[in-house]
Amino acid sequence: METDTLLQTDDKRTNNHKNRKFTSGKITDDEEMIDLTDARDNLENVNDRSRGSTNLMDSLDDLPPGIGTYEDFHTIDWLRDISRDRLRRRILQKKRSNSCLDKLKRAHDAWSGWLCVVCVGISAGIFAGLIDIGASWMTDLKEGICFEAFWLNKEQCCWGANYTTFDSEKGCLQWHQWPELFGAGGDKGTQYTIRYVMYVMWAMLFATLAAMFVRVFAPYACGSGIPEIKTILSGFIIRGYLGKWTLIIKSVCMMLAVSAGLSLGKEGPLVHVACCCGNIFSYLFPKYSKNEAKKREVLSAASAAGVSVAFGAPIGGVLFSLEEVSYYFPLKTLWRSFFCALTAAFILRSINPFGNDHLVMFYVDYNNPWHIVELIPFILIGAFGGIFGAIFIKFNIMWCRFRKNSKLGQYPITEVLIVTLITAVVAFPNPYTRMNTSELIKLLFSQCGPEDDMNLCDYYNRTYTDASSNVQIASIQDGVKTALWQLSLAVLFKLVITIFTFGIKVPAGLFIPSMAVGAMLGRIIGIAMEQIVLQLQNTPLDICTARQQCITPGLYAMVGAAAALGGVTRMTVSLVVIMFELTGGLQYIVPLMAATMTSKWVGDAFGKEGIYDAHIHLNGYPFLDSKSEFQHSTIAHDVMRPRRSEPPLSVITQDSMTVDDIETLLKETDHNGFPIVVSMESQYLVGFVLRRDLSLAIGNAINNVEGIVSASPVYFSSNVPVTTSVRGGPSPLKLRKIIDLAPVTVTDQTPMETVVEMFRKLGLRQTLVTHNGRLLGIITKKDVLRHVAQLENQDPDSILFN
């Protein structure tokens, strides 16, 4: 029989598993789990004790540590953990009237969830503020340094200069650029060369440090983290992925990777950082630390806080958690997620990392109206975003699969350095690829004003009567033409280099690079629309009045950013809310909705998977997507194990096996659990026991309970013959408390459509198959995933884990 056994054929995960400090005989903090059994067992404790079975493990306190926990790279049992939490609450409810201490424990249990999410929100906001400040300082370090206070970035360095005005290109007198420090003088060629060389050198240094820190201290700190967060929230166990070392290294290396100028962002990894905070704080509250299902409620709230601090969008963060990453999202988790996201946003606003009283760098301050005719170019931008997303997903997955299956995956630091060198060398000549990506998006979202002398605002004979009013529409000059071809080259470069960057072994988010590509494309289309409308003036097709600026290129950049991000991630509702919270442009919801839906439709025409789902399948994680539909006519008998050509199902009888028989079964098989039947002949089902629980219970009994030997009979029933001990034979071992007496079962004729829905909605780990009440086989989550992959003409062996 093949159950959901652990397959570690992926070299990367095998190495990560070996590097982590895990000893099979010891239970670490991450593995502690409460074991509150069925309420009927609590009522039977008195009866069992009255029978004189002193060697029987028949009370909760007698259960060995580790019972009810899960192995690494395994799936949790949602039903069991949720039922245990309900029993825990019932026990507290019964004890509430006993004493003041019991009432206090009940009150603490009630508000501990809110206290936990508050702590998570505060820590997420602090980490986000520190990361924003550090990334900004190190990014400016590639251009120069502030001598008076080296810890200040370029803009902050010039705040204290009362007699200077800030120049975004040159800075101020207090800011010293590298050519100035090297004494380049007035030779522009020498100055350009020094800036070029220093830019590349700093980029290589930052990338080297980031790759080495990840490689040595926290291999799980690489990448975006969102695919793994989705998998963990669906019930998968990845030990160490949300640990303290991952939190520290990811926070530091995120700043280094962004400062290196790589085509990546820090917004996606902030979700991973916030979930690390959620996991760490959950261990301070027993009802979360000892229950994996409950812990995922905290992680759902933490993911909402991560998006909240990444984009300054608390509501968007909650919707992102609900739409994109969470698997189990009850109503109380919705409330706590909103409170956690609100707390995180408030802390970040208090830190004010950008110094502009906003949570993000690209906040728009215009409210120009848009015309219904503009929906046509908005929909066109959405189509471009969907095409961009489809192209990016296809080629990025192809490259990641090549990296995984070739020798390139054995040299992660070398790959990072090569990508960084190419990015720095090619990006520096173009000002739109050289600048920080967040600053680029801010520039593209902005509206030209009287103080702007950049190429994007080089219009012919444009006059400004009032700085706060709409500007006149005008024809473009050479500066805008130069900016257009530079933006076109930047779009192509960003598309290509991001394909190779997303997936390297440094913290790498995808939100900002995708938004940058869409914003550049949208700005190009916006300028084109502006000039078309200018040419149609005084014609029946004229939509402008009084020569005011009825076309806002910054709005097109905003719509393009949403379309590109939607094409890559396939988000819809949460993306629209994030965008209007991000920019403050509430009146632009309709254009954002039109572009986002068009982007999703066009992207789905090329492939249903977003980038995160594609990486989940690439890594072989056992993720059963609740949004997909099963439309095949197979039945449970077609999927269950064992098959006709396989050995019979390994089972345990309830009262006819000894300790030695069970130890032999554990040695000869590698199944994660065993059905318990009345007898080998009848095959009537009694329950189900996990391999880990069975092994721990027997090992603890042999070591700690007097009289338990290899010949001791093992009973999984409530009735133990008293004559066994009276006759002087080996002491019996009762293990009824560790079994699941109500396993989920289906008949062999149950349609697989129903079985798949049960696995999705109930979060099952396995289900037993019966025929006329007798045990026939078993279906695990891995069996379901492999069956779905096979029916969709995919490789069923791509599902690597349990």
Side-chain angles (χ1 to χ4, degrees):
M1 182 191 75
E2 179 182 359
T3 60
D4 50 338
T5 56
L6 177 61
L7 298 178
Q8 294 187 5
T9 55
D10 187 354
D11 292 336
K12 177 185 72 174
R13 280 166 185 77
T14 302
N15 293 334
N16 291 344
H17 184 71
K18 291 179 180 179
N19 290 337
R20 277 180 280 113
K21 299 179 180 179
F22 176 80
T23 305
S24 59
K26 299 178 181 179
I27 307 301
T28 62
D29 291 339
D30 286 343
E31 296 172 316
E32 292 179 358
M33 177 76 70
I34 197 166
D35 184 52
L36 294 171
T37 56
D38 195 282
R40 291 173 295 179
D41 292 339
N42 292 327
L43 299 177
E44 291 174 357
N45 286 343
V46 177
N47 296 331
D48 290 335
R49 291 186 183 276
S50 65
R51 298 188 184 108
S53 303
T54 57
N55 290 334
L56 306 184
M57 294 190 300
D58 53 5
S59 69
L60 294 179
D61 296 333
D62 294 330
L63 291 176
I67 292 291
T69 61
Y70 303 95
E71 296 280 0
D72 200 5
F73 296 114
H74 281 63
T75 303
I76 71 172
D77 191 333
W78 286 90
L79 287 180
R80 185 176 69 165
D81 287 354
I82 292 175
S83 65
R84 284 174 175 169
D85 181 68
R86 289 171 180 166
L87 178 59
R88 179 191 59 81
R89 285 188 277 115
R90 285 200 297 268
I91 293 175
L92 287 175
Q93 187 74 20
K94 291 179 180 179
K95 294 181 178 180
R96 184 176 60 177
S97 58
N98 295 344
S99 64
C100 294
L101 181 60
D102 291 332
K103 293 181 179 180
L104 185 61
K105 290 181 179 179
R106 173 66 179 175
H108 171 73
D109 183 77
W111 60 263
S112 61
W114 294 99
L115 179 60
C116 183
V117 296
V118 167
C119 296
V120 173
I122 293 174
S123 60
I126 293 174
F127 271 98
L130 295 177
I131 291 170
D132 288 336
I133 294 172
S136 175
W137 175 72
M138 285 189 286
T139 299
D140 289 343
L141 197 61
K142 294 187 296 184
E143 301 179 11
I145 192 171
C146 184
F147 268 0
E148 295 183 356
F150 70 91
W151 58 88
L152 298 179
N153 62 21
K154 181 166 61 175
E155 184 175 1
Q156 293 169 344
C157 180
C158 297
W159 283 349
N162 298 326
Y163 52 89
T164 61
T165 58
F166 176 70
D167 187 341
S168 60
E169 189 69 25
K170 297 180 181 179
C172 59
L173 294 178
Q174 286 72 27
W175 179 259
H176 300 274
Q177 295 186 345
W178 295 117
E180 178 184 349
L181 296 176
F182 283 99
D187 188 356
K188 294 185 178 180
T190 304
Q191 292 180 358
Y192 182 84
T193 302
I194 293 176
R195 285 199 301 267
Y196 203 153
V197 171
M198 294 301 297
Y199 182 91
V200 175
M201 288 180 60
W202 279 110
M204 295 296 292
L205 175 62
F206 292 151
T208 303
L209 292 175
M212 291 183 64
F213 286 162
V214 169
R215 177 75 171 180
V216 174
F217 296 106
Y220 282 148
C222 65
S224 168
I226 293 181
E228 287 76 14
I229 295 299
K230 288 187 66 172
T231 308
I232 290 173
L233 288 177
S234 72
F236 194 54
I237 301 291
I238 307 180
R239 301 291 181 199
Y241 198 83
L242 302 177
K244 55 182 179 298
W245 275 109
T246 304
L247 170 64
I248 296 171
I249 298 302
K250 186 130 193 175
S251 301
V252 174
C253 294
M254 199 189 311
M255 296 183 285
L256 292 169
V258 171
S259 304
L262 291 168
S263 184
L264 48 81
K266 60 182 184 296
E267 282 67 20
L270 279 174
V271 177
H272 188 185
V273 168
C275 286
C276 289
C277 297
N279 179 67
I280 292 172
F281 277 104
S282 68
Y283 286 106
L284 301 179
F285 304 89
K287 75 173 182 179
Y288 295 117
S289 64
K290 297 180 180 180
N291 192 306
E292 292 289 343
K294 290 291 292 181
K295 182 188 294 184
R296 273 145 185 79
E297 296 179 11
V298 177
L299 298 182
S300 294
S303 64
V307 174
S308 174
V309 295
F311 295 106
I315 301 176
V318 175
L319 294 177
F320 172 82
S321 179
L322 174 62
E323 178 184 4
E324 188 65 19
V325 297
S326 292
Y327 199 84
Y328 175 67
F329 205 82
L331 186 60
K332 60 182 177 182
T333 302
L334 176 68
W335 300 334
R336 289 173 180 170
S337 297
F338 178 74
F339 190 56
C340 184
L342 179 64
T343 303
F346 173 76
I347 295 299
L348 184 62
R349 173 64 181 81
S350 301
I351 297 175
N352 194 18
F354 302 111
N356 57 2
D357 294 333
H358 297 299
L359 296 180
V360 292
M361 293 182 64
F362 24 97
Y363 185 88
V364 299
D365 54 359
Y366 52 81
N367 55 0
N368 302 331
W370 59 276
H371 298 268
I372 193 67
V373 180
E374 293 183 88
L375 279 178
I376 298 176
F378 292 151
I379 293 175
L380 179 64
I381 292 174
F384 284 148
I387 295 173
F388 161 74
I391 293 174
F392 177 83
I393 293 172
K394 178 179 179 179
F395 287 100
N396 179 255
I397 294 299
M398 288 176 57
W399 178 252
C400 290
R401 184 175 290 112
F402 170 77
R403 178 195 295 121
K404 185 177 180 180
N405 300 326
S406 65
K407 292 184 178 180
L408 180 62
Q410 302 175 10
Y411 305 98
I413 297 180
T414 303
E415 182 189 10
V416 171
L417 295 181
I418 292 175
V419 172
T420 304
L421 180 62
I422 296 175
T423 302
V425 170
V426 179
F428 185 84
N430 191 334
Y432 298 112
T433 54
R434 182 199 317 160
M435 69 172 57
N436 180 272
T437 310
S438 296
E439 294 179 354
L440 172 63
I441 297 175
K442 177 183 178 182
L443 174 66
L444 296 172
F445 282 8
S446 63
Q447 178 179 237
C448 292
E451 74 283 357
D452 295 319
D453 57 353
M454 54 186 175
N455 287 339
L456 274 176
C457 297
D458 186 16
Y459 287 86
Y460 177 77
N461 198 25
R462 172 174 281 181
T463 58
Y464 299 91
T465 57
D466 186 358
S468 62
S469 64
N470 293 336
V471 297
Q472 292 184 350
I473 188 170
S475 58
I476 61 175
Q477 294 198 96
D478 292 339
V480 178
K481 295 178 182 179
T482 301
L484 287 177
W485 70 260
Q486 288 178 336
L487 287 175
S488 301
L489 293 177
V491 168
L492 296 176
F493 172 71
K494 282 284 186 181
L495 171 61
V496 174
I497 201 63
T498 307
I499 290 174
F500 296 97
T501 303
F502 188 70
I504 61 176
K505 302 306 178 185
V506 295
L510 195 58
F511 284 4
I512 290 299
S514 302
M515 292 176 63
V517 172
M520 288 187 287
L521 185 61
R523 186 80 183 204
I524 293 172
I525 296 177
I527 294 174
M529 279 295 300
E530 186 181 43
Q531 297 307 301
I532 291 174
V533 170
L534 178 64
Q535 298 300 322
L536 294 178
Q537 280 189 342
N538 301 322
T539 67
L541 300 178
D542 188 6
I543 62 174
C544 287
T545 58
R547 290 182 58 81
Q548 294 297 312
Q549 185 182 12
C550 54
I551 301 295
T552 307
L555 171 60
Y556 284 76
M558 189 192 312
V559 172
L565 185 55
V568 172
T569 63
R570 307 297 163 82
M571 294 190 302
T572 52
V573 179
S574 59
L575 176 59
V576 173
V577 176
I578 288 173
M579 287 303 299
F580 83 72
E581 283 190 283
L582 178 69
T583 60
L586 186 60
Q587 67 273 26
Y588 302 132
I589 281 187
V590 174
L592 291 172
M593 292 175 63
T596 302
M597 285 307 304
T598 304
S599 174
K600 178 174 174 54
W601 288 335
V602 173
D604 287 345
F606 293 96
K608 297 293 184 180
E609 290 183 336
I611 186 63
Y612 301 128
D613 292 332
H615 274 269
I616 287 174
H617 293 156
L618 176 67
N619 294 327
Y621 296 136
F623 180 77
L624 193 58
D625 192 357
S626 60
K627 296 189 286 290
S628 60
E629 296 182 2
F630 185 86
Q631 300 177 343
H632 303 280
S633 58
T634 53
I635 59 176
H637 188 274
D638 301 328
V639 183
M640 73 173 190
R641 301 298 178 93
R643 306 282 173 82
R644 291 182 178 178
S645 60
E646 296 175 345
L649 186 66
S650 299
V651 298
I652 298 176
T653 58
Q654 68 172 353
D655 55 10
S656 62
M657 298 183 72
T658 64
V659 171
D660 184 64
D661 294 334
I662 295 180
E663 288 183 329
T664 302
L665 181 65
L666 292 173
K667 292 178 181 178
E668 294 178 351
T669 63
D670 55 1
H671 309 316
N672 287 329
F674 302 93
I676 300 175
V677 296
V678 174
S679 66
M680 292 294 183
E681 294 76 18
S682 69
Q683 291 289 311
Y684 284 114
L685 186 64
V686 174
F688 188 85
V689 62
L690 293 179
R691 178 190 187 91
R692 179 182 177 85
D693 292 353
L694 186 61
S695 178
L696 287 172
I698 291 178
N700 182 80
I702 292 177
N703 296 329
N704 301 323
V705 181
E706 183 179 357
I708 300 298
V709 295
S710 297
S712 296
V714 180
Y715 292 94
F716 294 93
S717 59
S718 57
N719 298 322
V720 180
V722 181
T723 57
T724 303
S725 300
V726 173
R727 293 177 180 177
S731 300
L733 176 62
K734 181 183 176 183
L735 298 180
R736 187 171 183 267
K737 285 187 170 299
I738 67 172
I739 70 173
D740 180 7
L741 293 173
V744 178
T745 60
V746 296
T747 66
D748 56 337
Q749 298 300 313
T750 303
M752 275 306 296
E753 182 179 4
T754 303
V755 176
V756 171
E757 285 301 309
M758 291 174 63
F759 272 87
R760 286 174 178 165
K761 301 296 174 53
L762 300 179
L764 299 182
R765 180 172 177 161
Q766 70 278 319
T767 182
L768 301 176
V769 183
T770 61
H771 179 73
N772 293 334
R774 298 187 177 186
L775 180 65
L776 195 63
I778 186 172
I779 299 177
T780 65
K781 188 175 183 179
K782 183 191 243 182
D783 295 329
V784 173
L785 289 166
R786 286 185 166 180
H787 181 65
V788 172
Q790 188 174 11
L791 293 177
E792 295 178 354
N793 297 322
Q794 299 175 1
D795 182 14
D797 293 331
S798 63
I799 309 300
L800 301 178
F801 301 103
N802 297 323

